[in-house]
Amino acid sequence: MYLADETWPDLGTYFDEESLAIVPLGSTEQHGPHLPEGTDHMIAEALAREAAERTGFLCTPTINVGVSPHHRQFHGTMWVDAPVFRDYVESFSRNLTYHGIDRIVYVNAHGGNVEHLQEVGRRLHETETAYAIEWMWDESIPDLVDDLFAHNGPHGGPKETAMIMHIANELVHDDRLEAARDGGLTQWEDMDVHGARTFYDAADNTENGVLGDQTDATPEKGEELFEAASDQLVKLCDWLDDQPFEDLMPEPHVRERE
């Protein structure tokens, strides 16, 4: 069920019976010369809506702009400051709890959002408002990602390229895959110096903004990734729905249990 497509009486029926919502989040930022700037939010929405279709749980509209200032040197990248993002997502989530939602899965496809979504989840948990957890699609299937690609790359690499080939192949510039690989990095082991991260922006490391070997991506691999990640998301939603709410809430202060 997709919230924006429903009428309010029909949504009332859902809220009477269910208490879980799926919230897709991503970014609008550079993904090299071959992928659209909407790559992350397109992947997040596709996975969230697939899981909602398979489970019957509610999928909300997508949060399309995230924490992406580290890509700001590249044309068109959009971002909001981290505190603004956290406050917005928390407000968005409390909006859902007003209607009776008490557990939320943040379907995230942008690494820059991770720590901030986890912080929002901690706030909601601490106040016993809701149980909200962050889920990254590629982290749910790490072995498959490793098996499919020799030089994966954390940004604009073959895993994201393959996923967009599956979701919206018409937006992939197939004729630029070699240029993406050759203008980026396929090896990046030396980015740290004596254990310290010595860069802040994507432009510090790569001229075209991407990492990995994009020529290794195919629509077939993208479909395999999509199906495997969707399976994991469905299982997560079903697991979370089965948990008693009181078991998800914080433990009492240790002195109270003595």
Side-chain angles (χ1 to χ4, degrees):
M1 175 182 285
Y2 182 58
L3 186 150
D5 288 345
E6 302 297 326
T7 66
W8 72 262
D10 293 330
L11 287 168
T13 300
Y14 178 86
F15 293 131
D16 285 342
E17 299 174 354
E18 303 287 354
S19 60
L20 186 146
I22 303 170
V23 178
L25 308 96
S27 68
T28 300
E29 64 182 23
Q30 71 85 15
H31 274 78
H34 62 301
L35 291 180
E37 302 227 345
T39 289
D40 287 344
H41 73 245
M42 291 168 62
I43 292 173
E45 180 170 337
L47 288 167
R49 296 190 69 160
E50 174 71 11
E53 179 71 22
R54 289 172 55 179
T55 62
F57 292 126
L58 183 70
C59 177
T60 73
T62 305
I63 297 175
N64 291 337
V65 177
V67 183
S68 303
H70 49 295
H71 293 293
R72 68 188 184 279
Q73 289 94 341
F74 296 90
H75 301 312
T77 291
M78 301 184 70
W79 70 90
V80 293
D81 290 338
V84 174
F85 177 78
R86 290 193 296 267
D87 288 348
Y88 180 85
V89 175
E90 182 176 354
S91 180
F92 185 104
S93 300
R94 289 182 183 277
N95 172 182
L96 292 171
T97 68
Y98 178 81
H99 296 298
I101 295 299
D102 63 18
R103 56 206 75 194
I104 300 168
V105 178
Y106 297 130
V107 177
N108 179 38
H110 173 52
N113 294 341
V114 172
E115 63 180 295
H116 308 294
L117 293 173
Q118 291 173 347
E119 169 61 16
V120 171
R122 188 196 65 76
R123 293 179 189 177
L124 296 171
H125 182 252
E126 188 177 70
T127 58
E128 301 189 22
T129 304
Y131 190 81
I133 50 178
E134 184 268 344
W135 179 85
M136 269 289 270
W137 71 269
D138 56 319
E139 293 181 0
S140 75
I141 49 171
D143 292 340
L144 177 59
V145 173
D146 287 342
D147 288 344
L148 288 179
F149 308 112
H151 299 288
N152 179 34
H155 184 75
K159 67 184 177 189
E160 290 183 325
T161 303
M163 283 285 270
I164 296 299
M165 284 177 168
H166 172 62
I167 295 167
N169 196 32
E170 70 280 5
L171 299 180
V172 180
H173 294 268
D174 293 332
D175 58 332
R176 300 178 185 175
L177 297 181
E178 290 187 4
R181 177 197 62 198
D182 297 342
L185 292 177
T186 56
Q187 303 289 337
W188 51 89
E189 289 81 0
D190 297 331
M191 286 187 178
D192 292 346
V193 178
H194 301 303
R197 177 171 171 168
T198 57
F199 62 93
Y200 288 97
D201 301 322
D204 294 339
N205 296 314
T206 167
E207 292 183 1
N208 67 3
V210 294
L211 305 165
D213 183 358
Q214 293 75 14
T215 65
D216 202 15
T218 66
E220 293 75 21
K221 290 181 180 179
E223 182 177 12
E224 189 174 356
L225 292 170
F226 185 85
E227 293 301 325
S230 296
D231 287 344
Q232 292 299 313
L233 180 55
V234 165
K235 291 176 181 177
L236 175 62
C237 291
D238 287 338
W239 172 85
L240 184 56
D241 183 58
D242 286 342
Q243 305 309 303
F245 183 70
E246 58 271 19
D247 291 351
L248 297 171
M249 290 296 94
E251 294 289 336
H253 193 287
V254 290
R255 285 196 298 270
E256 296 175 4
R257 298 189 311 219
E258 292 176 351

